Amino acid sequence: MSILEQLNDRQKEAAACIDRHVRIIAGAGSGKTRVVTTRIAYLIDECHVYPNKILAITFTNKAAREMKERVENMLGPIARSVQISTIHSFCVRLLREDIRELGYPRNFTILDSEDQKSILKEIYKEKGIDTKVYSYPSMLGYISACKTVFVSPAQAQDAAQFEGQKIKAEVYGAYQKRLEDMYALDFDDLLLQAHRLLKESREIREKWQRRFTYIHVDEFQDVDELQYDIIRLLCAEHTKLCVVGDPDQTIYTWRGAKVDIILDFEKDFPDCRTVILNENYRSEEHILKGANAVIKNNRNRIDKDLYTSRQSSQRIIHFSAADEQNEPVWVAAKIKTLHHGGTAYRDIAVLYRSNYLSRGLEKALLSAHIPYRIYGGIRFYERAEIKDALSYLRLLGAKQEDDPKEMWKSLAVRRVLNVPKRGIGAKSIEQLEEQAKEENVNLYEVLSHPALSSAKAKKAIHQFVSVIEECRNQAANLSIDLLMKKVLEDSGYLQMLQEDNETDRMENIKELLNDMQQYIEDHPDAGLDEYLQEVALYTDNDVFEGSDVVQLMTVHAAKGLEFDCVFIYNLCEGIFPSERSISEGGNPALEEERRLIYVAMTRAKKQLFISDSMGYSFVLDKVKTPSRFVMEIPAELMEDVGAKPRNRFSDDTDLYRQGNFSSEKPYASANAQRSPMSSLFEGSSNAGKKRQKKGKLRKGDLVHHASFGDGVIIRLEDGLATIAFEQKFGVRKIMADHPSLTKK
């Protein structure tokens, strides 16, 4: 019996096509790994191709191991001669043989991430660079991005405009010089130097072309131009290339992947055959039909309808929350219900578009005592920028009479004294710590009279203390969120993030401010100290170590994974699809966002839940509406639950599009001429105003809220007032008898 008999008809066609180039369009869960491994076994066992003439390239070590195991299970030890490896491993093999052509020894050093960090540590020490300002991962990401687009250190320095960019370019130059002195290569260099050898040396190129008759490339939709060029350089006239991928799952364009590479494959290889694998073995029918309906709205794709024999009577559950506080609570409650029904926590995943969205989820899961872990990421309150912001905030608290020394302030000072970079070197900080130790006071106390010889450091310290004291003096008059905005802006922290183009970190800061606003609304009588105590409860929670935990992750991190039950969280327009991506990338970016939701939906095997929420988003700076992707799922596949039907945008938004409360108008302030960052985070406080008698509230009344300022009531229902505040705070639902609310 032929090895191919275990495959379905489409899979057989793909595996048996060995006389020409072949492009296999493999939909999610269609058994692509099975096809590739069976094809390799077929070539060896039935077509009598020498195993060492076959090359298979993957993009993860896990995929390479899985492919090796499957081929060996089918053929036995003979399969070990097949070269199955990541593209980086292949390039290492090539370089070990031929890198002397470039003046490197064969025993060149390959740097891992720890080696790279060690080199950066030396450079940072020499140049007085603070890791809190320029973390090792962000610096290595910058260097990698430069290398993959062939930008040299000199070119990076020429292109640098802001101080942060100049510092990064300078570090890049020093880093690369150290690598050259050590005859060392990092992971990006492995590809770059292998490509250089194949391209520049005809002799080396033809030698490697003779090695292989059949080349296979897995996850072909994720290749970038450099990787594709290496693959093409390995192909001679006699070589047959088989590529496997799904253009509908091209979601890494920010990493260099180009969907056009797989779409236009036949232009580079005109005699290729295209085989579409569209039978899905993972998801139930309603999930696939929903995913198909969404992805069909993309134009730049190869049409394929996934189908399955796995029938289901269940529909996709869509929950629309009245506000963003209720959305994570609903998700947590649903997870509890699933768990009580027999679903293990490890079989449940919550997917979201951006990391900052984990904040509300984490709080809700902790409150419900649901174990979870952030897959491939860091918990919200453990992120560097959140710790920085809270450290600034801790320095603004009132003097504690029962703790006169306040030694805890030393921790906060160490974290933010030179963030952003102020020219206060490690030596100066060391001297300050010695002074504090001698005087038996906290580190902040000695900043008023620093025993330093450096005039530059003294001046910087004076400016730092001035900012802190000015903000501390305003603490009684400003709400927590406005106080946070002020200290981050006055300290230069926000400007630092802007100049370094740290968009993700900015989003996290905005989400922290949103957290503060929610806390103010829920605890109108609480102050700064109470908020910091509450946050400590979340930052100090034990990490769940067990294996039976709910997985929280971005959609990008979820690619290649599958779960019985999947929640797609905060599916709101501007969040998913990302407003930033669309504004910067136009329709191609929108199509990638749609591919991203397609990937998210096809992670689910049995049940799919999607959720969104109404109300104002501080990150978006506008009232939220359901994502267009929700609207693209046919109604018959959905079961709508929650506050609002899915095909209705909020009626509230139609009631206040006039006057000063328009959601369409830009927010005007007296400080309109300040920096873009200032306008983004601008706020005003009405604290200290004399409270008016409330009286009976009616629709249309002007009211004042202690935290959100003036607004107009647009709806009254069951004691709950829906109020449109100025755009900065948007539409909020507040109990009509709330003590913070007064009639004007």
Side-chain angles (χ1 to χ4, degrees):
M1 187 179 77
S2 172
I3 287 175
L4 301 182
E5 291 305 312
Q6 60 181 311
L7 306 179
N8 66 37
D9 290 344
R10 291 283 184 88
Q11 291 172 335
K12 283 180 188 176
E13 181 186 354
C17 182
I18 62 171
D19 59 344
R20 64 177 70 184
H21 305 298
V22 60
R23 175 179 60 177
I24 303 172
I25 304 299
S30 61
K32 66 179 179 64
T33 304
R34 187 181 191 187
V35 171
V36 175
T37 52
T38 304
R39 174 185 166 90
I40 293 171
Y42 173 72
L43 285 168
I44 297 169
D45 192 56
E46 299 187 32
C47 302
H48 309 295
V49 176
Y50 287 112
N52 60 359
K53 287 289 187 178
I54 301 172
L55 170 66
I57 292 174
T58 68
F59 286 87
T60 67
N61 289 314
K62 180 183 175 184
R65 285 194 301 270
E66 183 182 354
M67 199 174 289
K68 284 179 182 177
E69 288 171 3
R70 291 198 185 190
V71 176
E72 286 186 25
N73 288 337
M74 283 188 277
L75 297 179
I78 192 175
R80 293 171 187 171
S81 298
V82 180
Q83 186 169 340
I84 303 174
S85 68
T86 66
I87 191 165
H88 287 88
S89 295
F90 172 80
C91 288
V92 169
R93 180 179 172 185
L94 185 153
L95 292 171
R96 291 293 186 202
E97 286 193 30
D98 297 309
I99 199 170
R100 285 184 297 182
E101 292 287 326
L102 302 178
Y104 278 72
R106 280 187 173 179
N107 63 340
F108 63 88
T109 300
I110 302 172
L111 302 181
D112 61 21
S113 58
E114 289 304 312
D115 296 328
Q116 291 177 290
K117 289 178 183 178
S118 180
I119 292 171
L120 287 184
K121 188 175 181 179
E122 292 177 11
I123 297 170
Y124 279 28
K125 187 176 181 180
E126 289 176 8
K127 300 184 179 295
I129 298 172
D130 194 336
T131 57
K132 298 183 184 73
V133 184
Y134 302 98
S135 69
Y136 296 144
S138 68
M139 186 64 74
L140 291 172
Y142 165 80
I143 293 170
S144 178
C146 287
K147 287 187 176 187
T148 51
V149 293
F150 301 96
V151 173
S152 68
Q155 291 169 321
Q157 287 176 351
D158 290 341
Q161 296 180 355
F162 300 112
E163 183 186 1
Q165 294 170 341
K166 292 176 182 177
I167 290 172
K168 286 183 176 181
E170 187 180 351
V171 172
Y172 175 25
Y175 169 87
Q176 200 59 28
K177 178 66 166 59
R178 275 172 167 75
L179 263 62
E180 292 169 0
D181 292 343
M182 297 162 57
Y183 292 117
L185 302 178
D186 60 22
F187 269 43
D188 293 309
D189 291 329
L190 296 176
L191 300 186
L192 289 166
Q193 300 297 3
H195 176 265
R196 181 181 170 189
L197 277 172
L198 291 170
K199 194 171 183 68
E200 295 179 0
S201 173
R202 180 178 177 180
E203 182 182 351
I204 291 173
R205 181 170 64 253
E206 290 180 348
K207 179 184 82 171
W208 284 93
Q209 287 176 344
R210 289 192 295 271
R211 295 268 179 103
F212 305 109
T213 306
Y214 291 93
I215 297 176
H216 304 77
V217 184
D218 194 18
E219 300 291 357
F220 191 65
Q221 77 281 343
D222 293 333
V223 302
D224 58 32
E225 288 188 338
L226 173 61
Q227 294 162 348
Y228 185 42
D229 224 22
I230 291 171
I231 293 163
R232 283 191 295 181
L233 288 167
L234 290 171
C235 293
E237 192 172 332
H238 70 274
T239 312
K240 302 300 181 238
L241 177 61
C242 172
V243 300
V244 187
D246 183 5
D248 288 337
Q249 296 187 68
T250 303
I251 61 174
Y252 295 119
T253 59
W254 51 275
R255 237 167 37 188
K258 290 191 174 182
V259 69
D260 289 344
I261 291 175
I262 188 170
L263 293 178
D264 297 338
F265 180 78
E266 59 190 4
K267 294 179 181 177
D268 295 323
F269 299 89
D271 66 332
C272 86
R273 175 182 294 177
T274 295
V275 181
I276 297 176
L277 307 182
N278 58 349
E279 183 173 0
N280 178 284
Y281 295 94
R282 176 189 298 156
S283 305
E284 295 188 352
E285 186 180 35
H286 65 289
I287 298 170
L288 289 183
K289 286 184 175 180
N292 286 336
V294 172
I295 200 64
K296 276 186 175 181
N297 291 278
N298 275 4
R299 295 181 180 179
N300 195 28
R301 63 186 293 266
I302 295 172
D303 191 38
K304 64 178 190 318
D305 265 350
L306 291 180
Y307 71 93
T308 183
S309 57
R310 299 181 64 192
Q311 305 293 317
S312 174
S313 59
Q314 297 185 87
R315 293 190 289 176
I316 299 169
I317 302 297
H318 171 231
F319 175 75
S320 189
D323 54 51
E324 63 180 27
Q325 293 98 315
N326 285 324
E327 185 182 358
V329 172
W330 177 83
V331 171
K334 200 68 185 177
I335 290 173
K336 275 283 189 186
T337 302
L338 290 169
H339 185 62
H340 289 156
T343 304
Y345 283 132
R346 62 178 170 270
D347 294 327
I348 302 171
V350 186
L351 313 183
Y352 37 78
R353 177 61 180 84
S354 300
N355 275 309
Y356 76 88
L357 295 166
S358 74
R359 192 267 310 168
L361 279 169
E362 290 185 62
K363 279 193 168 184
L365 294 176
L366 284 167
S367 297
H369 305 289
I370 296 172
Y372 74 93
R373 75 176 179 118
I374 305 287
Y375 184 94
I378 304 171
R379 292 176 172 233
F380 183 82
Y381 291 103
E382 294 172 4
R383 294 166 192 166
E385 58 277 10
I386 302 302
K387 287 186 173 182
D388 290 344
L390 292 174
S391 291
Y392 270 112
L393 200 62
R394 287 189 176 98
L395 292 174
L396 307 182
K399 188 81 172 177
Q400 302 296 316
E401 298 300 328
D402 55 348
D403 183 18
K405 289 190 176 182
E406 298 181 312
M407 300 305 288
W408 53 267
K409 282 189 176 180
S410 297
L411 297 174
V413 172
R414 287 191 193 103
R415 185 163 192 96
V416 299
L417 182 58
N418 210 34
V419 184
K421 195 173 179 66
R422 298 184 174 91
I424 307 170
K427 187 176 179 180
S428 294
I429 295 175
E430 188 177 330
Q431 290 173 348
L432 290 168
E433 288 181 335
E434 284 295 324
Q435 183 183 347
K437 188 177 180 181
E438 289 174 6
E439 297 179 14
N440 194 24
V441 295
N442 68 67
L443 191 53
Y444 185 77
E445 292 298 321
V446 303
L447 298 184
S448 60
H449 56 286
L452 300 175
S453 57
S454 171
K456 181 183 178 183
K458 281 185 176 180
K459 183 180 179 182
I461 289 169
H462 175 74
Q463 291 172 341
F464 174 80
V465 172
S466 296
V467 168
I468 298 299
E469 290 304 314
E470 182 185 348
C471 293
R472 192 206 300 268
N473 292 333
Q474 292 291 318
N477 301 318
L478 294 176
S479 60
I480 305 166
D481 58 324
L482 297 182
L483 185 64
M484 183 85 271
K485 296 176 203 175
K486 179 174 175 60
V487 71
L488 292 181
E489 189 170 72
D490 291 357
S491 65
Y493 193 90
L494 297 179
Q495 185 179 352
M496 175 193 74
L497 295 183
Q498 183 191 38
E499 290 181 354
D500 292 347
N501 199 28
E502 295 280 4
T503 310
D504 291 341
R505 296 177 69 187
M506 284 291 300
E507 286 180 341
N508 283 331
I509 292 291
K510 291 181 188 178
E511 185 61 20
L512 178 63
L513 293 171
N514 189 41
D515 181 48
M516 291 174 175
Q517 288 192 357
Q518 288 184 14
Y519 181 80
I520 293 167
E521 190 170 343
D522 296 338
H523 307 85
D525 298 324
L528 175 59
D529 291 339
E530 288 82 1
Y531 175 75
L532 290 172
Q533 287 172 18
E534 171 154 309
V535 168
L537 295 176
Y538 293 101
T539 56
D540 294 339
N541 268 290
D542 293 334
V543 176
F544 298 106
E545 298 292 346
S547 59
D548 192 25
V549 296
V550 176
Q551 309 287 332
L552 307 187
M553 67 188 79
T554 64
V555 182
H556 284 100
K559 190 171 179 293
L561 304 177
E562 58 183 43
F563 304 90
D564 285 349
C565 302
V566 170
F567 292 78
I568 305 176
Y569 175 74
N570 225 308
L571 201 52
C572 301
E573 193 69 17
I575 295 175
F576 201 172
S578 163
E579 191 170 76
R580 186 179 84 221
S581 295
I582 297 172
S583 64
E584 293 175 359
N587 193 64
L590 175 59
E591 293 213 346
E592 177 154 359
E593 291 289 306
R594 191 172 280 112
R595 293 194 294 270
L596 199 56
I597 189 67
Y598 175 80
V599 167
M601 295 176 74
T602 54
R603 298 312 94 196
K605 295 164 66 176
K606 297 178 179 180
Q607 286 186 276
L608 177 61
F609 305 86
I610 61 177
S611 65
D612 57 65
S613 59
M614 312 304 288
Y616 177 76
S617 166
F618 191 88
V619 175
L620 298 177
D621 201 18
K622 65 181 183 182
V623 176
K624 294 193 292 184
T625 56
S627 168
R628 69 186 73 193
F629 301 149
V630 177
M631 309 305 167
E632 291 172 359
I633 302 173
E636 63 270 18
L637 300 175
M638 303 276 287
E639 180 181 346
D640 289 304
V641 298
K644 297 182 181 291
R646 77 186 183 96
N647 287 319
R648 283 179 60 201
F649 284 68
S650 172
D651 293 335
D652 300 347
T653 60
D654 296 322
L655 297 176
Y656 67 97
R657 288 178 179 168
Q658 53 186 332
N660 294 330
F661 302 103
S662 172
S663 64
E664 308 289 332
K665 283 186 176 184
Y667 179 64
S669 78
N671 298 308
Q673 299 305 311
R674 296 177 72 182
S675 68
M677 199 56 67
S678 297
S679 63
L680 187 62
F681 285 90
E682 196 64 51
S684 61
S685 174
N686 292 283
K689 286 190 176 183
K690 188 176 179 182
R691 183 170 293 172
Q692 304 283 323
K693 270 191 170 183
K694 188 173 292 186
K696 187 177 179 180
L697 295 178
R698 295 181 176 84
K699 182 179 175 180
D701 280 349
L702 292 176
V703 292
H704 176 78
H705 190 276
S707 301
F708 309 128
D710 295 339
V712 62
I713 296 177
I714 57 177
R715 177 175 297 170
L716 273 172
E717 191 174 17
D718 298 328
L720 189 68
T722 304
I723 305 170
F725 296 101
E726 290 181 317
Q727 187 186 0
K728 204 60 182 170
F729 302 109
V731 176
R732 293 183 174 256
K733 296 182 186 291
I734 300 171
M735 295 303 296
D737 60 354
H738 200 286
S740 295
L741 192 65
T742 55
K743 186 176 179 180
K744 295 196 70 174

